[in-house]
Amino acid sequence: MSIKSIKLPVLPLRDLVIFPSIMMPLFIGREKSINALEHGINNKNEIFLVTQCDGSIDNPESKDLYNVGVVANITQSLIKLPDNAVKAIIRGVNRGKVVEYINSSCLLQANIEINDYEEYDEDSVEVEALKRSIIDAFHDWHKLNKKNQSEPLVNSIDHIQEAGQLADTITSYLNVKISDKQSILETYNLKQRLEKILTLIEREISILNAQNRLYKTVKSQVESSQRVYYLNEQLKAIQKELGEVENSDEGNTFSEFEKKINETQLSQEAREKAITELKRYKKMNPVSPEATVISSYLYWLLELPWGKYKDTKIHLNTAKKILDQNHYGIEKVKDRILEFLAVLKRVKEIRGPILCLVGPPGVGKTSLAKSIAKAVDRDFVRMSLGGVHDESEIRGHRKTYIGSMPGKIIQHMKKANSCNPLFLLDEIDKMGTDLRGDPASALLEVLDTEHNKHFTDNYLEVEFDLSSVMFVATANSLNLPYALRDRMEIIQLSGYTEEEKVSIATHYLIPKLKQEHGLQNKEWNITTDALYKLIRLYTRESGIRSMEKELAKLMRKAVKEISTEKGKKISIEVDNLSNYLGVRKYTFGMAESENLVGVVTGLAYTESGGDILMIESVLIPGKGEIQYTGKLGEVMQESIKASYSYIRSKCLFFNIKPEIFQNNDIHIHVPEGAIPKDGPSAGVAVCTSIVSLMSNIPVNRNVAMTGEVTLRGRVLAIGGLREKLLAALRGSIETVIIPSENEKDMQEMPKNIKEKLNVVFAKSVDEVIKVALVNTST
């Protein structure tokens, strides 16, 4: 006997055993299986096929698979089907035994041992006798089996000379249990294999004879109106004659489904659908693909939390305490949530739009949703929508497709185990759209409180009530379809000031991180001044995520030092902060070190929060044209054109000679050209830059500005004011010019912003120019 070992990708099979010399098509839908096929094609077209012990497991691991399978060749390259599944034709080659599984996130591989096992002499009397007996028995079975009347099948069996191939081919045609077929596959000894197959065929012949006798007997005793009853009795009679009534897996499955249908509080539509599918399931061969589809469907339908509602009690004082414990500041947001809970407590059902928490990364949107779930004592489930671009992710696939499943809404409802959880739709603004549909449109029914009680998943095909679910969404921006925004109430979460970040770090982050890193209070501490330095020089964000990472880095280094020098105490101060965190990452201070002509400090609002936006312009001999660079969006390009047209039309008012415009071109550039920029609020900064350039008067480096400009020179209101003022504060700007229409928003600004910034309100561009330019008389 010679043994060789080979490393191959592994393809798990549901309810199917492949034998050597057998060729058949496979339809593959699971991602790991598709990866295994592609890997096999790239590796000499070889793959290892092995059967699952339990066909209902969707993501089988090594412990869920048999040890013996078949090394097969992929004879036809993959054919992609419309439902994203693939078709491949394979041919079994050799039996193989798994020595060791090699698991990874993308596919399953294994080291396979292939034995050139010792065969009996094909011409021996025992083997020849068994071959003839098997062929004769197979002919008898074929005559009795009404489902398989293929004459070419019999002829092909008669022409097989090799005993091993004959045994494997006949076994693949027999309608026997998967465990019996696997037993044949695992039998390497040829004589023993032939004996087992002969026993199986004789057993099948006995079953078919008994079936025919029972068919004639039962048919004469029942009326045509009792046909369904007859079929069930026939199945029971067959099992009884085989002595397998108590051990029948199929019978147990039927009874389990029947029991669940009776115990589950299904809707009338769902109950009728379940009963219909169970009747179909009973009539089918348990090993047929269609039976597997129905079994999987019934499993999903009956595992949903029909009629299960968690007994939730809302105590507003407790809810306020939980929100205050977990979240610092954001009083307006917490008040709005408490208002929502107060109404919910009084009316006992969800009314009004869905809450959508919008803000920069790291400000606590997801953790706030968890706190709401805790405050209302509901189960919490989170569905990430980032990168979702297929409608079926929301609504599911039709169950006629191979490997189909319900959508993520139904999957998470099963996970919640109640019909009234808090359902977080995370990163709702990150959904995409392609040829497979628009998931944002599929969400319209889910988030509409008037219609989601009739939500229908494509896989279930029955209505499931979502009206008791508390939906909360999060987003970094309002880049959402209008119809989807209309169904939600937007709650803005702004960034934190430096003082708020220090308070959060002191009262929340540092105690939590100390516990996670096993540090005692006496072993490690950081001064307030060092915290301010960390925030200013090592982070640039509206939230606190980067600050938490830097604090964790400090503690990791501290743990390392304490572990090597026992009893050491570490204090992080301004002087030694860089020893632990390295060279500073950002510059904190002035936007510019000196007053420059044509260089203006603007303020921008991005998904990451507020930031300083430098705008530069230069004069070039030309014909009065304007060009702009810096990866600018269409809205910002139009804003630059409008600003240029206004300044040129009012050039005499700003003491600029018209000839300068006629004889020169202007080039406006917004640095950091790799970052896309858009929006109209840079209008006043562009106007200031052009006036400074044409009049050769420098711009005050301590002044920043934001506002949209019209062709009449009016300054219009802007959004994201808090974020922009925080950016100015981080850049040590002294004076900020904002539209006068935003004066009302200053009432909600933090106290330190009002105290540290000189905010100037402007109605027109000339008011902006007076403040922004150095020593101008205009």
Side-chain angles (χ1 to χ4, degrees):
M1 178 187 299
S2 62
I3 300 175
K4 68 176 182 178
S5 181
I6 185 172
K7 180 181 176 182
L8 292 174
V10 177
L11 175 60
L13 301 175
R14 291 185 200 257
D15 304 322
L16 180 66
V17 178
I18 305 290
F19 288 86
S21 303
I22 298 300
M23 179 180 291
M24 69 165 50
L26 291 180
F27 297 88
I28 310 299
R30 292 184 285 195
E31 185 179 356
K32 275 193 174 184
S33 299
I34 295 174
N35 291 341
L37 278 172
E38 292 175 347
H39 190 277
I41 290 174
N42 296 329
N43 187 20
K44 300 180 182 179
N45 284 331
E46 287 188 335
I47 194 167
F48 187 67
L49 308 175
V50 62
T51 305
Q52 294 178 204
C53 301
D54 182 0
S56 64
I57 298 175
D58 288 324
N59 295 304
E61 299 177 357
S62 57
K63 61 183 176 61
D64 303 317
L65 306 174
Y66 287 107
N67 286 331
V68 177
V70 172
V71 177
N73 285 334
I74 304 170
T75 61
Q76 181 176 319
S77 59
L78 304 185
I79 300 173
K80 290 193 176 182
L81 302 176
D83 58 348
N84 294 329
V86 298
K87 175 186 176 184
I89 297 178
I90 58 91
R91 182 177 65 83
V93 180
N94 290 317
R95 283 171 168 79
K97 186 175 182 180
V98 176
V99 177
E100 177 188 13
Y101 279 104
I102 305 167
N103 204 347
S104 68
S105 59
C106 59
L107 77 158
L108 186 63
Q109 298 184 80
N111 290 323
I112 309 301
E113 179 182 278
I114 302 175
N115 295 344
D116 293 328
Y117 49 86
E118 219 173 86
E119 287 277 10
Y120 274 77
D121 184 7
E122 289 280 342
D123 297 325
S124 70
V125 175
E126 289 180 317
V127 171
E128 185 62 25
L130 285 169
K131 280 175 59 178
R132 293 184 183 183
S133 299
I134 288 171
I135 292 174
D136 292 339
F138 181 79
H139 280 276
D140 294 337
W141 171 83
H142 183 263
K143 291 176 183 177
L144 290 170
N145 187 15
K146 297 179 180 179
K147 294 181 181 179
N148 197 341
Q149 294 294 335
S150 174
E151 205 58 41
L153 168 63
V154 178
N155 295 333
S156 64
I157 295 296
D158 291 337
H159 287 86
I160 296 177
Q161 300 296 324
E162 185 181 346
Q165 183 181 352
L166 175 70
D168 292 341
T169 305
I170 288 179
T171 307
S172 66
Y173 285 125
L174 291 178
N175 184 18
V176 295
K177 294 180 181 178
I178 294 298
S179 57
D180 291 335
K181 288 189 176 184
Q182 182 66 29
S183 175
I184 298 295
L185 185 66
E186 293 178 357
T187 304
Y188 279 75
N189 186 284
L190 180 60
K191 181 185 175 187
Q192 293 178 4
R193 201 183 331 154
L194 293 171
E195 290 173 347
K196 281 187 177 182
I197 293 168
L198 183 59
T199 303
L200 280 178
I201 298 175
E202 294 294 348
R203 182 166 170 263
E204 285 297 302
I205 290 172
S206 299
I207 292 173
L208 291 173
N209 284 326
Q211 187 178 28
N212 290 335
R213 288 198 310 271
L214 290 166
Y215 179 82
K216 294 176 182 178
T217 303
V218 175
K219 185 178 180 181
S220 63
Q221 296 175 354
V222 297
E223 300 293 333
S224 59
S225 61
Q226 297 176 308
R227 179 170 177 77
V228 174
Y229 173 79
Y230 147 72
L231 291 171
N232 288 327
E233 289 300 311
Q234 183 190 41
L235 182 60
K236 292 176 183 178
I238 293 172
Q239 293 172 342
K240 185 175 180 180
E241 179 136 337
L242 293 173
E244 293 183 353
V245 175
E246 295 183 359
N247 298 323
S248 173
D249 293 337
E250 292 79 14
N252 290 338
T253 304
F254 298 149
S255 61
E256 286 176 10
F257 281 143
E258 286 178 337
K259 183 180 178 182
K260 276 222 164 189
I261 291 172
N262 294 329
E263 292 177 351
T264 306
Q265 300 179 35
L266 297 168
S267 65
Q268 183 63 29
E269 180 188 19
R271 185 174 298 279
E272 292 174 358
K273 182 74 173 177
I275 293 172
T276 302
E277 293 296 326
L278 183 60
K279 287 179 179 179
R280 290 181 59 209
Y281 185 47
K282 287 181 178 179
K283 300 174 186 177
M284 291 181 179
N285 187 332
V287 299
S288 67
E290 183 66 17
T292 304
V293 170
I294 295 177
S295 174
S296 179
Y297 173 80
L298 288 172
Y299 166 78
W300 276 106
L301 184 66
L302 298 175
E303 286 296 316
L304 287 174
W306 297 94
K308 292 182 182 179
Y309 292 88
K310 190 170 183 180
D311 187 15
T312 58
K313 295 181 180 180
I314 299 175
H315 301 285
L316 293 180
N317 291 333
T318 304
K320 186 177 187 307
K321 185 177 179 182
I322 291 172
L323 291 174
D324 289 338
Q325 283 178 347
N326 297 336
H327 303 276
Y328 179 84
I330 57 173
E331 300 300 331
K332 185 179 178 182
V333 176
K334 290 191 283 191
D335 286 342
R336 175 63 188 90
I337 291 170
L338 290 174
E339 291 168 8
F340 180 83
L341 298 182
V343 174
L344 179 62
K345 180 180 179 180
R346 180 166 288 244
V347 300
K348 306 298 182 185
E349 60 179 317
I350 296 175
R351 297 281 184 183
I354 311 300
L355 296 180
C356 182
L357 307 175
V358 180
V363 296
K365 300 184 294 297
T366 303
S367 59
L368 188 60
K370 291 181 181 178
S371 297
I372 297 172
K374 185 177 179 182
V376 298
D377 193 26
R378 291 186 182 226
D379 296 312
F380 177 80
V381 287
R382 172 183 170 273
M383 174 181 171
S384 178
L385 294 172
V388 172
H389 49 75
D390 190 348
E391 179 196 351
S392 59
E393 292 282 340
I394 308 297
R395 289 188 175 277
H397 298 84
R398 299 288 179 188
K399 68 176 184 289
T400 51
Y401 294 112
I402 296 173
S404 59
M405 293 180 69
K408 289 188 181 293
I409 298 292
I410 292 298
Q411 290 183 37
H412 283 77
M413 289 304 297
K414 173 183 173 293
K415 181 180 178 182
N417 201 31
S418 66
C419 285
N420 60 340
L422 186 141
F423 202 122
L424 176 63
L425 300 169
D426 211 3
E427 308 290 355
I428 198 170
D429 58 326
K430 302 297 190 301
M431 288 186 295
T433 303
D434 63 10
L435 296 174
R436 287 171 285 184
D438 182 6
S441 299
L443 275 178
L444 295 179
E445 181 186 7
V446 176
L447 298 182
D448 194 323
T449 53
E450 297 295 327
H451 299 103
N452 60 8
K453 64 177 64 177
H454 305 298
F455 176 72
T456 303
D457 187 273
N458 290 333
Y459 182 83
L460 293 183
E461 298 177 340
V462 294
E463 293 180 357
F464 188 82
D465 188 358
L466 297 176
S467 60
S468 298
V469 179
M470 182 186 291
F471 286 102
V472 177
T474 69
N476 293 133
S477 71
L478 292 175
N479 185 24
L480 298 168
Y482 175 77
L484 194 59
R485 277 186 63 182
D486 186 56
R487 284 164 169 78
M488 299 186 293
E489 177 170 347
I490 306 300
I491 298 180
Q492 292 278 0
L493 275 77
S494 301
Y496 297 110
T497 63
E498 287 182 354
E499 287 75 12
E500 288 173 334
K501 289 182 180 180
V502 169
S503 296
I504 293 171
T506 304
H507 297 100
Y508 295 89
L509 295 182
I510 292 177
K512 183 187 78 168
L513 290 171
K514 277 184 176 180
Q515 185 177 0
E516 290 178 357
H517 290 80
L519 284 170
Q520 302 295 327
N521 289 331
K522 62 182 179 180
E523 293 179 319
W524 187 92
N525 73 288
I526 183 170
T527 64
T528 302
D529 290 339
L531 264 179
Y532 273 106
K533 184 177 180 182
L534 182 149
I535 292 168
R536 291 170 177 174
L537 302 183
Y538 293 91
T539 67
R540 180 170 288 177
E541 58 176 350
S542 296
I544 58 172
R545 194 167 287 149
S546 294
M547 180 175 67
E548 183 176 4
K549 292 177 182 177
E550 296 299 329
L551 286 171
K553 184 178 179 181
L554 287 174
M555 292 189 188
R556 286 196 303 272
K557 292 182 178 294
V559 170
K560 178 184 175 183
E561 288 189 17
I562 293 171
S563 299
T564 54
E565 301 179 35
K566 292 187 177 180
K568 184 175 182 179
K569 298 179 181 179
I570 295 176
S571 178
I572 307 298
E573 299 177 355
V574 173
D575 296 335
N576 66 353
L577 181 66
S578 59
N579 295 338
Y580 292 94
L581 294 183
V583 180
R584 66 184 185 182
K585 299 179 180 177
Y586 305 102
T587 300
F588 180 83
M590 304 300 177
E592 289 292 338
S593 59
E594 57 180 329
N595 301 329
L596 299 173
V597 173
V599 179
V600 181
T601 304
L603 297 173
Y605 177 74
T606 67
E607 291 185 6
S608 300
D611 202 358
I612 286 177
L613 186 72
M614 302 306 300
I615 296 178
E616 305 172 347
S617 61
V618 293
L619 207 60
I620 308 168
K623 300 179 181 179
E625 297 178 353
I626 185 170
Q627 56 180 316
Y628 31 79
T629 54
K631 203 170 185 181
L632 309 180
E634 291 184 7
V635 176
M636 194 166 182
Q637 292 178 27
E638 292 175 356
S639 178
I640 291 174
K641 292 177 182 177
S643 301
Y644 176 74
S645 297
Y646 169 72
I647 298 299
R648 188 167 183 177
S649 69
K650 296 287 185 179
C651 62
L652 294 177
F653 176 80
F654 294 110
N655 293 330
I656 302 171
K657 297 179 180 180
E659 301 83 51
I660 300 178
F661 283 98
Q662 295 171 3
N663 301 325
N664 296 279
D665 292 343
I666 296 177
H667 184 170
I668 294 178
H669 178 67
V670 185
E672 299 186 40
I675 302 174
K677 309 165 191 74
D678 204 2
S681 61
V684 292
V686 173
C687 286
T688 304
S689 178
I690 295 174
V691 171
S692 170
L693 182 69
M694 292 302 192
S695 61
N696 200 32
I697 300 174
V699 180
N700 191 333
R701 61 189 175 86
N702 292 321
V703 176
M705 61 194 71
T706 180
E708 181 180 354
V709 172
T710 69
L711 285 175
R712 292 179 292 161
R714 291 179 55 204
V715 180
L716 302 183
I718 47 86
L721 181 60
R722 177 185 168 111
E723 305 297 333
K724 292 178 179 179
L725 294 181
L726 285 174
L729 205 60
R730 288 196 295 269
S732 284
I733 299 296
E734 296 176 1
T735 302
V736 177
I737 305 172
I738 67 172
S740 58
E741 293 181 25
N742 288 106
E743 186 174 1
K744 63 183 185 302
D745 300 324
M746 290 300 297
Q747 298 176 6
E748 300 177 356
M749 292 298 131
K751 185 178 179 181
N752 66 322
I753 289 181
K754 298 178 182 178
E755 292 176 348
K756 295 182 179 181
L757 289 176
N758 175 29
V759 180
V760 177
F761 304 101
K763 293 182 180 179
S764 61
V765 173
D766 58 307
E767 295 178 10
V768 175
I769 300 298
K770 288 178 182 179
V771 178
L773 298 189
V774 177
N775 296 326
T776 180
S777 59
T778 56

